[in-house]
Amino acid sequence: CIRAGRSTSRSGAASSLGRVTPELASAGRGYTMAALVEGEQPLIAVTARLREATELVNGVSVQKFPILLTRIIAKLHLRNEHIFSEAEQEQLCGLFALSTSQLTTVLESCSYILEQAAYHTIHPNALKQLLEDAGMDEEHAQAVSTVWADEATEFVGRLKEHTMSGPKALLDSQYRLHLMMGESNLTRLKEPSALFEFKLGRPEAGPQGQNTDKEDVVVEFSHSELYDLFQQLEHVQEQLDSLS
């Protein structure tokens, strides 16, 4: 049994990269360049960190920036692999006159922009305008727009292929309530919680659709943790609805 937010399974622990999940982008069925409809409101959050990144990007050579973007989008779908090795990152720091932390900010922000562009199917022109509104100069924003226009279809295709052979699907779920009484005879404090058992697997893993890769995960939620989870699920549902 595990506490909410940290799940270990009976067949082993799984890791998370802690970034925007591009698997969600693959939920967009029939994604082609023709589906990138201009005029829809972009849904990329312009945070303080993104504005900081755009300022750093403005100082990067505009001739070399597209090469950086192309490398990022080519490997962004590989969840357990770094886009650049440590040695390459050191070279990039020297090439662009950035500190290690500044380079990290640039790489993470560029990855975030491209992932969100795929998730929300943002038109290249709309993406360019959004980046300019966030503080990126026209030349660098155009570079992002051009790379996105050239690579979007193949990038989303790679995301779909990765998702098909990646995360397991939820096959079934059960729950039960748990009530813990106070240990002292002088108190009747009750600590209610909910225990969920999630059955995961890949239905296509075995012959004739038989599941040969099952996994059971048990998670315990307090009342407040369960409420927070439902709030997050509501947000996820809104994002999925925007794709339909």
Side-chain angles (χ1 to χ4, degrees), residues 18 22 24 27 35 41 45 53 59 75 82 109 126 151 160 179-180 209-210 213 215 225-226 236:
L24 291 177
Q41 181 64 30
K75 301 188 69 174
H82 293 292
S109 296
E151 303 290 340
K160 290 181 179 180
L179 191 64
M180 181 177 293
Q210 296 178 356
D213 191 12
E215 177 182 5
E225 290 169 340
L226 191 58
V236 171

Side-chain angles (χ1 to χ4, degrees), residues 78-93:
L78 302 175
R79 307 298 291 160
N80 297 315
E81 183 176 324
H82 293 292
I83 296 175
F84 294 98
S85 66
E86 292 186 4
E88 289 174 327
Q89 291 187 44
E90 291 181 3
Q91 293 176 355
L92 290 173
C93 286

Side-chain angles (χ1 to χ4, degrees), residues 135-150:
M136 191 176 293
D137 63 42
E138 183 178 1
E139 289 184 329
H140 286 84
Q142 182 60 56
V144 178
S145 175
T146 300
V147 169
W148 175 238
D150 292 342

Side-chain angles (χ1 to χ4, degrees), residues 7-84:
S7 60
T8 56
S9 66
R10 296 172 189 172
S11 62
S15 64
S16 171
L17 295 181
R19 60 179 179 177
V20 177
T21 55
E23 288 84 357
L24 291 177
S26 65
R29 293 175 289 276
Y31 187 108
T32 63
M33 284 302 297
L36 297 175
V37 180
E38 186 174 5
E40 294 184 354
Q41 181 64 30
L43 298 176
I44 297 180
V46 182
T47 62
R49 185 171 177 79
L50 181 58
R51 291 189 180 277
E52 176 189 354
T54 58
E55 293 180 3
L56 294 172
V57 166
N58 290 341
V60 171
S61 168
V62 73
Q63 288 77 28
K64 297 174 182 177
F65 186 48
I67 301 175
L68 181 72
L69 292 171
T70 301
R71 172 67 175 274
I72 291 174
I73 201 169
K75 301 188 69 174
L76 193 54
H77 65 290
L78 302 175
R79 307 298 291 160
N80 297 315
E81 183 176 324
H82 293 292
I83 296 175
F84 294 98

Side-chain angles (χ1 to χ4, degrees), residues 194-222:
L195 294 176
F196 285 83
E197 181 177 1
F198 301 112
K199 295 184 180 296
L200 310 178
R202 297 188 178 94
E204 76 285 357
Q208 300 179 346
Q210 296 178 356
N211 195 321
T212 59
D213 191 12
K214 294 182 179 179
E215 177 182 5
D216 293 340
V217 179
V218 179
V219 186
E220 180 181 7
F221 294 92
S222 67

